[in-house]
Amino acid sequence: MKIKFIIFVFISIWLALIVRVFFLAIESNSYYAKLSLQNTIKHEQIAPVRGEIIDIHNRPIAINQLGFKIELAPHLRLKKYKNEFRDEVAFLHKALPFLNTEKIIKNYKKKDSFYNHNFIDVVHFIPYEKMMPVYSMLNLRKNIKIVPAPKRYYPYKNIAAHMIGYVARANQKDVANDPLIELIGYTGKTGLEKFYNSYLQGTPGEKELKVNANNQEVEELSYKSPDEDRKLKLTLDMELQKYISKLFEGKVGAVIVMNVDGSLLAAGSYPNYDLNIFVSGMSYKMYDELSSSLDHPFTNKMTHGLYPPGSTIKPLLGLLYISTDLNERWSVDCRSNLKLGGRIFRCWKKKGHRHTNITKAIRESCDDYFYKGSLVLGNKKMSAGLKRYGLGEKTGIDLPNEFIGVVPSRAWKLKKYHKIWSIGETANMAIGQGDFLTTPIQIARETALIATGTLPTPHFVQMIGKERYKPTYVNVLNTVELKKLPIIQNAMYEVCNSPHGTATHYLHSKVTIAGKTGTAQVIGIKQDIKKRKQEHELSYYKRSHAWFTTYGPYKHPQYIVTVMVEHGGHGGHAAGSIVSDIYNKLLELGYIKKK
């Protein structure tokens, strides 16, 4: 029995060994073949070239400068390669003396590790003309790799800067949201560059390489080109943009020139800045100067500037008034002040406007008419109506992080401040003051609503590649409002053309236009002050913001021109000349066909 048991154990062990040998020699062959393949074949992604942005006449707005980046072989910081690393850095500095060696070492240390076997970026961009004289010399070094690397460039520098936006080096958050950005290294940070980043950056290509044990390339096995150079054609006219920038020199605020279909022919936020400083990087001193400025040059005032709309809101409220609880025959006797809730609500005209109907109220911007009308409608109807018209919501413009503003209401105040609404706030809201806040693009969009009866979606893009953008509209006016809209349109015509219009004497436009001025106070006026200071008597940052929003030609509306000048004082005085010059330029450039 013992002999049989020993023989059994012996045979079992040999069988187990034979099975294991069979598994290692035959069955595992394919598995280890795959591992071997991974060790010898390398897959490398190819970064796509970012698409260009052009204007309506194919002028380049955002392009790519040809250049190169410099990479160093990994693991050179190891003790045995320390001298090589020092020599390579010294060689780079000798060949290109303008390079910062400390920055090269810092960039290398940041990415060098035992787990990284790829070459490391140490210089992100060298212009073509500076690299070519030393290209061959550098390319012969085994530890140095020269790789083509385009760099974003903005030929118009600060023109339409807030709209176009810029690209800059990607951070960890950018990479976490889109792994492709790690390969490219740059991403859109603001404006259209950010909004259309996924389209503009394209998709990567790939090449399959055979490498040796030292990770050196032996042979290229396959190559797939990246999907790149995707063009974005805008509705902007950069010639008009340049012209408007000159008109706005020394001023702070926003300008919008929009077709009634929503396409933006020009748009500016002032002051602005040169986009190229963000691509190359700026000094801390320059950044501090820009970021600490009281004029907020980094803020896109068109979509992120929140301002009381002032009297620009009166045409919309007027339409709401005469279409609901009031009618076009309803009038007030304006005596310049209204006692309400222990306060006196004054009209801007010291002696009052006396008998005032809807047309006169808009033409001469009578506050008393809107105070008293608001007491009839009440905050609930006013707030609901204005929100239906599109205020207190995003316009849908193709720019990132658009602000929605505030259409104040009882529910809003209770939620935000835990306080009840007062009747005085209803009166304040009726003249676009108090907690009422809008953006310039919202006011331009509302002006388009009055001009055409439909609410367009503002947009900058005309063509995305070969696909044309289709304008969209929303019908928000009911049958009664559409029927009474001509009354409001006529009143806005009189603002710009009647001898008593608030804008008439400030205009020199060759185009017949309709519009509404607005003066939005930035400081409250005490009740015991009987004689108000004139705007020019106030210190600059206490002066009111000046609004002027228009459409033209009056009979055949084609364009909206909205101007907001921060601390400009009276709307017509501060913006009338700018608006007139813009319409004359539109006529000169052939955009407006009828006067």
Side-chain angles (χ1 to χ4, degrees), residues 252-309:
V252 179
V255 179
I256 297 161
V257 182
M258 183 176 74
N259 191 296
V260 291
D261 70 359
S263 56
L264 289 146
L265 193 61
S269 175
Y270 305 95
N272 47 28
Y273 49 82
D274 185 347
L275 292 169
N276 294 300
I277 62 176
F278 286 93
V279 181
S280 304
M282 70 175 83
S283 67
Y284 287 112
K285 183 181 177 182
M286 184 184 292
Y287 179 81
D288 287 342
E289 285 176 0
L290 289 170
S291 61
S292 61
S293 170
L294 294 175
D295 294 328
H296 306 290
F298 286 155
T299 300
N300 182 354
K301 295 174 174 64
M302 187 179 81
T303 54
H304 296 155
L306 291 173
Y307 308 92

Side-chain angles (χ1 to χ4, degrees), residues 208-232:
E208 196 175 47
L209 303 165
K210 184 182 283 186
V211 295
N212 60 22
N214 295 318
N215 200 37
Q216 293 175 325
E217 296 175 10
V218 176
E219 183 185 356
E220 185 178 290
L221 301 177
S222 65
Y223 183 91
K224 179 187 175 185
S225 298
D227 180 7
E228 60 185 359
D229 200 20
R230 299 171 170 184
K231 273 192 169 57
L232 197 66

Side-chain angles (χ1 to χ4, degrees), residues 573-594:
H573 177 267
S577 180
I578 296 173
V579 167
S580 298
D581 288 338
I582 291 173
Y583 276 107
N584 292 341
K585 191 68 175 178
L586 289 172
L587 196 62
E588 177 192 321
L589 294 173
Y591 286 109
I592 290 181
K593 307 299 181 185
K594 296 179 181 180

